[in-house]
Each structure stands twice: as structure tokens, then as C-alpha cells.
């Protein structure tokens, strides 16, 4: 494979608070838009949080926010596309912050994220694919295994990304109408395979597929870029 363009790879350990990661991601995107930094990819896990995209409606949150908080979660309304989804332990989340060049193609970016998830699932023996009759994402039968939602900053730089359920506690999805699709289910690599599939097992191959599909060569970011993620991480 030919060497791709240089990009920072951030892989903080532990669970990274969603608000901190979201703020840092937006800061990196603004700097990328100004051509101050190279592309960057953040791969992490979050504590339990429901995020509502621009198409989310109030009735898609099935638990009230007091119930969510009592269960140790949070609700955040954010600027990506799509409806409600869940992030939490056991889920591999990847946020590519990449410049799309002079002819940005948002649909192609979504297809690349799907391709990363499909290849990563295949690596552990799960056959996953796109569904022509439903939204963006990756599916095992009628169950979504990877949710995808993005935003383009001034149509040029990507934010947000993909969330692949590895051994996620799927009971959290009872609290939302996931992706606005009441007649579809969710699943995880662990459920399909009948064994634990920790994020640590999946992350190295996922990172490799991100590099391949997006044409990147990963380099270490400077300490000041890593610091907010490390400071926000909990065991």
C-alpha cells in the first residue's frame, strides 16, 4: 500500500468524558479548516451518554433525563446529522477530522466510514454490510452494529464519525429509538459471536482500516493535543 498523507492518531486510554472530547474535536476541526494542523483521527470510548443529532425528536428519548442520570448516563444534543444514538463502554468510537479537499463529497465520506466498520467486523468473523433500504450505517441482518453520523465544517472538514458495538451493554438502547428506526434492532460483535469482544481486541485492526480506507499514515500528535483527552479519561 502506498504511503498516505500524514495524520495525527489520538488513542486515549480509559473512558473519555463526552463533553471534553466533543469540545476538543471541534477545536481540532477549526484548526484543520485553517490548515494549521494535519488530519487527525480520535479513537476512544465514552462513559454512557445518549447523543441526539439534528434530526432527533423528543419522543425518541424513551427514558427521561432523570432516569438516564440515575443509571449513570447523560443526554447531549449535538451538531451531527442523524437521530439518537448511544455511546458507552465496550464501544469503539472513531472521529476522523479530515479535510475533504476542493471537491468535498459527504456521501463518499460516509461510505468510507461504513467500509472501515465492515472490514473491522470481518476481521473477527462477523459478516456485516450496508442496507440499501435504511439509513447510513452497518448492519448484521436487521440489527445495526455500527452507527454513523457526521458534520462537515464549512463543507470541507469532517467531525463526529462512527460507533461500533464491540461488547457494549445493549440494554442502554432500550432508552432511545436508536437512529430513529423503531422497527430495527441493535447488536454487537459480542452478541453475534457469543463471546467477549473487548475494544482492545478490535481497535488495532480498526485503526489499520481507517489508515487504508482514508489514505492516511499515522503520526504521533504533540503533547498539547493529547493532554485534554488524557485529563478527561477515567478507568
Amino acid at each position: 500500500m502506498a504511503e498516505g498523507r500524514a495524520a495525527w492518531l489520538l488513542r486515549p486510554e480509559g473512558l473519555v468524558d463526552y463533553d471534553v472530547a466533543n469540545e476538543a474535536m471541534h477545536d481540532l476541526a477549526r484548526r484543520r479548516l485553517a490548515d494549521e494542523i494535519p488530519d487527525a483521527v480520535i479513537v476512544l470510548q465514552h462513559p454512557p451518554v445518549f447523543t441526539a443529532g439534528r434530526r432527533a425528536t423528543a419522543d425518541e428519548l424513551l427514558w427521561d433525563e432523570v432516569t438516564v442520570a440515575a443509571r449513570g448516563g447523560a443526554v447531549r444534543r449535538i451538531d451531527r446529522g442523524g437521530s439518537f444514538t448511544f455511546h458507552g463502554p465496550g464501544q469503539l468510537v472513531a472521529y476522523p477530522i479530515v479535510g475533504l479537499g476542493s471537491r468535498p463529497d459527504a456521501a463518499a465520506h460516509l461510505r468510507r466510514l461504513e467500509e472501515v466498520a465492515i472490514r473491522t467486523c470481518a476481521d473477527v468473523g462477523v459478516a456485516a454490510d450496508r442496507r440499501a433500504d435504511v439509513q447510513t450505517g452497518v448492519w448484521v441482518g436487521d440489527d445495526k452494529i455500527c452507527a454513523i453520523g457526521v458534520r462537515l465544517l464549512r463543507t470541507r472538514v469532517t467531525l463526529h464519525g462512527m460507533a461500533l458495538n464491540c461488547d457494549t451493554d445493549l440494554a442502554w438502547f432500550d432508552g432511545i429509538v436508536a437512529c430513529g428506526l423503531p422497527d430495527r434492532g441493535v447488536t454487537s460483535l459480542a452478541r453475534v459471536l457469543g463471546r467477549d469482544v473487548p475494544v482492545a481486541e478490535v481497535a488495532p485492526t480498526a485503526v489499520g482500516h481507517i489508515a487504508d480506507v482514508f489514505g492516511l499514515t499515522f503520526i504521533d500528535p504533540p503533547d498539547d493535543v493529547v493532554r485534554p483527552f488524557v485529563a478527561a479519561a477515567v478507568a
Side-chain angles (χ1 to χ4, degrees), residues 42-97:
I42 307 163
V43 178
L44 45 60
Q45 297 179 73
H46 291 301
V49 58
F50 294 124
T51 66
R54 293 189 300 269
R55 290 209 322 256
T57 59
D59 61 340
E60 292 171 348
L61 181 64
L62 304 179
W63 298 341
D64 62 44
E65 295 195 31
V66 173
T67 300
V68 175
R71 292 171 178 261
V75 179
R76 296 292 183 264
R77 288 162 179 83
I78 59 173
D79 60 353
R80 62 161 170 78
S83 299
F84 270 98
T85 194
F86 169 74
H87 297 314
Q91 184 186 74
L92 185 149
V93 178
Y95 298 133
I97 301 162

Side-chain angles (χ1 to χ4, degrees), residues 115-134:
E115 184 64 22
V116 168
I118 290 167
R119 294 186 187 186
T120 302
C121 290
D123 286 339
V124 294
V126 172
D129 210 342
R130 301 169 178 87
R131 289 286 301 265
D133 60 330
V134 289

